[in-house]
Amino acid sequence: MSTQACIYLTTPIFYLNAEPHIGHFYTVLVADVLARFWRKAGARVKFVTGTDEHGSKVSQTAEKKGMTPQDYVDKMVKPFQKMVADLHATPDDFIRTTEPRHKASATAFWQTLESKGQIYLGSYAGWYAVRDEAFYEESELTHGVAPSGASVEWVEEPCYFFRLSHWEKPLLQFYAENPEAIGPKSRYNETLSFIKGGLRDLAVSRSRLSWGIPIPGVEGHVMYVWIDALTNYLTVLGYPDIHSEAFQTFWPHVCHLVGKDILRFHTVYWPAFLMAAGIAPPKRVFAHGWWTRDKQKISKSLGNAINPWELLEQYGLDPVRYFFVRTIRLGQDGDFSEEALNNCTHHELADTLGNLVMRVLSFLQKHTGGKIPVPGQLGLPERTLRLWGQNRKRAFTQFMAEQRIDQYLEEIFLALQQGNQYMTQLAPWVLCKGDEEDLQAMGTGLHTLVHFLHDVALFLWPIMPDSCEKILQQVGCLDVPDFKAVGASLDTEKILPVPVPLFAKGE
Ligand code: MSP
């Protein structure tokens, strides 16, 4: 069923100037859902996350804490690694930009750009926002503040420039030929209008900063944190060894998941750096929106951060994973509310999914001692449920290829409602008191429902792995098979275990 044989999924690498918050959590979650889906769909997947450990933002925070930058990042990386583990995310690699493998890769990337005449020494005089780690034109500022709201400082220093202006036309041509290279469409349009507005050469070194990767062969300059950070995507594939198996397999079959605030770095600077180095640009960059609270971006600096661990503790991992990908369409902003999270857990998970699992399996325990009945002839409603998974596989694959996780879940939720209606109409609690024919109808119906639960659990597994593993065990599967098992026959000899409730009702 896979439409893409190899897929490389990345999250942005996180600055270590503060503890992880919901924005970081969200990016890792989305990437994990996609990675889990594609693995089960039979694709070869590489999923990578990590931390961005250089730059002014990190060094200034370390200084405020009275620590060396290295001690500070060694301490701060831990909560990010814990976040990944506590989310039950499944990255194949976790990169830190202070690792020797990355320093070697970023240095080689720089040397390649230099050897191709893409870098020259000049001097920079302009505005810099430490919070964004970005250079701004005077014309971009409003009342002396960056478009992001970050404050800026005047910077005047000798620095190296990248010939970004040379790449204006090649970038426009690349995007004209590859409209799917940026999603959603609004971000594609935004990128194009930015490029058409004219590209100036980009400052790519800092001489007033020592916390960074040194410019090879030059004293007193370190790489601008973004050229260093973006190269992480190559480091994990073994760059500078472009003949490595990983590089050959996964580049450029990448989907970079990023927040909308860092779009330009990924859709303008990064493909330009790559083309300049003679490497193909990324196949896809998808920008998700922001989680807001009272319509304000959630961020540590704005003081409205939500602690992901508090949510996990209160609601449990799977309901939280489900909520974040279910309630908003990826790409749009979402206003966080505990009421919505509560409703989602109550209505969709406890009342719809948990309820159907419990109704079907506890009835089976009572009447067959947990044995899956042998089915008779299937009528139309049974065939619809029985073939639901097989029939929707292609559409589900397409939704995931377009990062439409919300749509994928909407369909599953609607199917679960139908499953519940079918159980009510079947009324096995009445049929079990009837004649031979009624008993056969009951057996066929329950068999169909166990099947349906099996297929639903497989498709929901990328979003709620722990709960779906429990459902699969309860319908007799000891491990989680890949999507080839959707629609496969059930073993009617098996005795199913006594079901246990999956979701608490919350507050
Ligand atoms: N270090 C850079 C990325 C370098 S990638 C080569 C960076 N780090 S960050 O820690 O500031 O942000 C990481 C990601 O978290 C970004 O994609 C950002 O959009 C995302 N989020 C931060 N706050 C967010 C929300 N409130 N909501 C959703 N995501 C947001 O940028």
Side-chain angles (χ1 to χ4, degrees):
M1 74 183 278
S2 85
T3 53
Q4 23 199 323
C6 298
I7 175 158
Y8 174 31
L9 285 156
T10 67
T11 73
I13 50 171
F14 307 111
Y15 288 131
L16 293 179
N17 61 309
E19 299 269 326
H21 66 62
I22 226 66
H24 307 130
F25 168 101
Y26 181 57
T27 302
V28 175
L29 169 62
V30 170
D32 187 55
V33 168
L34 296 172
R36 285 174 180 267
F37 177 87
W38 288 114
R39 289 186 193 122
K40 290 297 179 202
R44 222 180 128 188
V45 174
K46 190 164 183 85
F47 160 29
V48 179
T49 187
T51 43
D52 188 354
E53 305 194 353
H54 294 124
S56 312
K57 189 152 144 159
V58 168
S59 70
Q60 285 182 5
T61 316
E63 197 177 328
K64 277 191 209 133
K65 307 253 174 200
M67 294 170 82
T68 66
Q70 189 64 57
D71 287 346
Y72 175 74
V73 294
D74 287 344
K75 175 172 173 245
M76 285 305 288
V77 70
K78 297 208 168 86
F80 283 86
Q81 288 169 331
K82 181 167 163 39
M83 167 184 78
V84 172
D86 290 349
L87 257 176
H88 293 186
T90 53
D92 300 292
D93 202 342
F94 185 104
I95 177 150
R96 299 182 58 187
T97 54
T98 48
E99 286 175 61
R101 62 170 172 160
H102 178 67
K103 289 185 185 165
S105 154
T107 306
F109 191 64
W110 180 281
Q111 283 166 330
T112 304
L113 292 176
E114 208 171 29
S115 70
K116 291 184 184 279
Q118 297 294 326
I119 284 177
Y120 63 92
L121 184 63
S123 76
Y124 180 79
W127 298 101
Y128 192 78
V130 172
R131 196 175 98 192
D132 302 343
E133 295 282 19
F135 298 97
Y136 287 107
E137 302 283 336
E138 180 87 41
S139 60
E140 291 180 280
L141 307 182
T142 317
H143 305 302
V145 174
S148 61
S151 52
V152 292
E153 60 189 33
W154 184 256
V155 172
E156 244 180 274
E157 57 187 26
C159 98
Y160 286 89
F161 283 86
F162 168 69
R163 296 190 193 281
L164 182 63
S165 54
H166 281 197
W167 297 96
E168 199 175 305
K169 284 213 176 79
L171 280 172
L172 288 174
Q173 191 183 341
F174 171 72
Y175 286 127
E177 287 164 7
N178 298 280
E180 76 302 334
I182 305 173
K185 196 78 200 150
S186 56
R187 302 293 166 205
Y188 175 84
N189 295 336
E190 184 182 324
T191 301
L192 252 59
S193 67
F194 179 77
I195 302 171
K196 284 180 185 156
L199 297 180
R200 293 203 196 182
D201 290 351
L202 181 73
V204 284
S205 79
R206 305 293 316 273
S207 50
R208 295 262 181 83
L209 182 74
S210 56
W211 181 238
I213 300 181
I215 302 297
V218 183
E219 282 286 297
H221 284 261
V222 297
M223 284 179 208
Y224 168 42
V225 67
W226 271 99
I227 191 166
D228 159 353
L230 288 161
T231 314
N232 94 83
Y233 299 133
L234 300 183
T235 305
V236 292
L237 300 182
Y239 188 83
D241 181 6
I242 55 171
H243 302 292
S244 69
E245 211 256 330
F247 197 92
Q248 290 290 319
T249 307
F250 290 108
W251 195 265
H253 311 292
V254 63
C255 176
H256 291 309
L257 287 162
V258 301
K260 64 179 184 180
D261 48 329
I262 55 172
L263 181 76
R264 188 190 296 183
F265 298 95
H266 285 82
T267 56
V268 180
Y269 305 160
W270 181 225
F273 292 156
L274 287 163
M275 289 193 223
I279 300 173
K283 196 164 159 197
R284 188 157 168 91
V285 175
F286 191 94
H288 63 72
W290 284 341
W291 281 94
T292 58
R293 214 169 187 178
D294 304 322
K295 304 282 174 212
Q296 269 221 320
K297 184 187 179 206
I298 292 174
S299 85
K300 196 81 179 181
S301 33
L302 294 173
N304 60 356
I306 294 170
N307 179 334
W309 283 282
E310 280 172 18
L311 289 184
L312 296 188
E313 189 153 320
Q314 190 172 347
Y315 296 91
L317 175 60
D318 280 351
V320 172
R321 284 179 63 111
Y322 180 83
F323 169 78
F324 276 96
V325 289
R326 163 75 170 120
T327 40
I328 59 158
R329 179 171 175 168
L330 195 67
Q332 292 174 345
D333 288 348
D335 207 46
F336 176 83
S337 90
E338 289 212 32
E339 197 189 338
L341 174 49
N342 248 316
N343 278 342
C344 194
T345 311
H346 253 270
H347 179 49
E348 301 196 356
L349 298 183
D351 290 349
T352 308
L353 172 63
N355 189 34
L356 185 61
V357 173
M358 218 44 196
R359 285 170 91 191
V360 173
L361 299 183
S362 56
F363 189 86
L364 270 184
Q365 282 297 323
K366 250 211 241 127
H367 289 274
T368 66
K371 199 163 169 309
I372 307 173
V374 179
Q377 187 76 25
L378 304 192
L380 184 61
E382 289 77 27
R383 271 209 307 280
T384 308
L385 281 184
R386 174 75 175 80
L387 296 178
W388 170 80
Q390 276 157 291
N391 286 340
R392 300 312 292 150
K393 244 189 204 181
R394 190 187 285 271
F396 284 158
T397 308
Q398 193 52 34
F399 289 147
M400 286 304 201
E402 292 167 8
Q403 293 83 37
R404 290 296 316 270
I405 308 174
D406 62 320
Q407 187 70 35
Y408 177 97
L409 288 174
E410 172 72 9
E411 286 227 3
I412 296 179
F413 176 67
L414 291 176
L416 279 166
Q417 283 183 320
Q418 282 163 12
N420 268 306
Q421 276 162 14
Y422 175 77
M423 179 71 178
T424 306
Q425 279 155 11
L426 182 71
W429 45 89
V430 177
L431 293 176
C432 69
K433 296 181 194 132
D435 57 16
E436 203 41 45
E437 205 176 315
D438 287 344
L439 290 176
Q440 180 63 75
M442 178 185 89
T444 304
L446 290 172
H447 179 101
T448 304
L449 281 162
V450 175
H451 235 295
F452 175 65
L453 290 177
H454 168 269
D455 291 354
V456 163
L458 269 186
F459 282 127
L460 276 179
W461 178 82
I463 295 98
M464 297 192 291
D466 298 352
S467 312
C468 291
E469 277 160 32
K470 282 190 201 143
I471 300 176
L472 286 167
Q473 277 164 14
Q474 293 183 21
V475 298
C477 286
L478 292 181
D479 53 9
V480 185
D482 65 28
F483 294 146
K484 282 199 204 101
V486 168
S489 297
L490 292 170
D491 183 354
T492 47
E493 289 308 307
K494 223 171 235 170
I495 303 291
L496 302 182
V498 177
V500 283
L502 292 165
F503 303 103
K505 280 266 193 159
E507 296 295 280

